[in-house]
């Protein structure tokens, strides 16, 4: 059974940091490109960061460049999103995504709230 389980969300003050983690199971993790998306109510899901396989090339949305870092550990089957200098506009539900060829899997999402 394919699963992507996110963790690490929560409430943080503006300027603070938070690290999200996503662990995959039920598929060959190392083959998959991994991505983090986020979504706020009544808006489309937004691609935040991606990391490819096997080269681990990373890419970021302009809104998070220089503040967020995506990384992966294929042995541990995890992908992390380190979020620094958080802003209120980073508040969203963050989703982990795994994609390889026609296979596309999603996690259940984790809430991140940036507020004083």
């Amino acid at each position: 059974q394919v699963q992507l389980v996110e963790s690490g969300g929560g409430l943080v003050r503006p300027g603070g940091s938070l690290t999200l983690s996503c662990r995959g199971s039920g598929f060959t993790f190392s083959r998959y490109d991994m991505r983090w998306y986020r979504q706020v109510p009544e808006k489309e899901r937004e691609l935040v960061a991606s990391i490819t396989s096997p080269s681990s090339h990373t890419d970021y949305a302009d809104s998070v460049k220089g503040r967020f870092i995506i990384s992966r550990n294929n042995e541990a089957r995890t992908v992390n999103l380190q979020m620094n200098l958080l802003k209120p506009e980073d508040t969203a539900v963050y989703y982990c995504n795994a994609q390889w060829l026609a296979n596309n899997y999603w996690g259940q999402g984790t809430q991140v709230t940036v507020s004083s």
Side-chain angles (χ1 to χ4, degrees):
Q1 179 186 0
V2 172
Q3 277 194 312
L4 287 172
V5 180
E6 300 104 334
S7 61
L11 174 64
V12 63
R13 294 185 184 276
S17 297
L18 210 57
T19 298
L20 305 182
S21 186
C22 170
R23 188 174 189 282
S25 60
F27 62 100
T28 308
F29 185 90
S30 59
R31 284 183 183 168
Y32 283 67
D33 294 341
M34 300 299 297
R35 300 179 179 93
W36 285 96
Y37 286 79
R38 66 187 181 189
Q39 189 170 26
V40 297
E42 300 181 353
K43 287 197 174 179
E44 288 191 4
R45 201 166 286 191
E46 173 193 20
L47 177 61
V48 174
S50 61
I51 185 164
T52 62
S53 174
S55 64
S56 290
H57 173 76
T58 59
D59 201 8
Y60 299 91
D62 286 343
S63 58
V64 307
K65 241 173 230 181
R67 300 189 297 123
F68 289 12
I69 300 171
I70 188 171
S71 60
R72 67 187 298 158
N73 182 328
N74 288 337
E75 190 171 338
R77 308 172 64 85
T78 57
V79 57
N80 287 351
L81 184 67
Q82 182 181 337
M83 305 185 294
N84 302 313
L85 299 174
L86 283 161
K87 304 175 181 180
E89 51 263 44
D90 294 318
T91 296
V93 178
Y94 283 72
Y95 296 91
C96 178
N97 170 263
Q99 184 269 324
W100 176 63
L101 300 180
N103 300 319
N104 197 23
Y105 307 131
W106 292 91
Q108 81 287 352
T110 186
Q111 176 70 46
V112 172
T113 302
V114 184
S115 175
S116 54

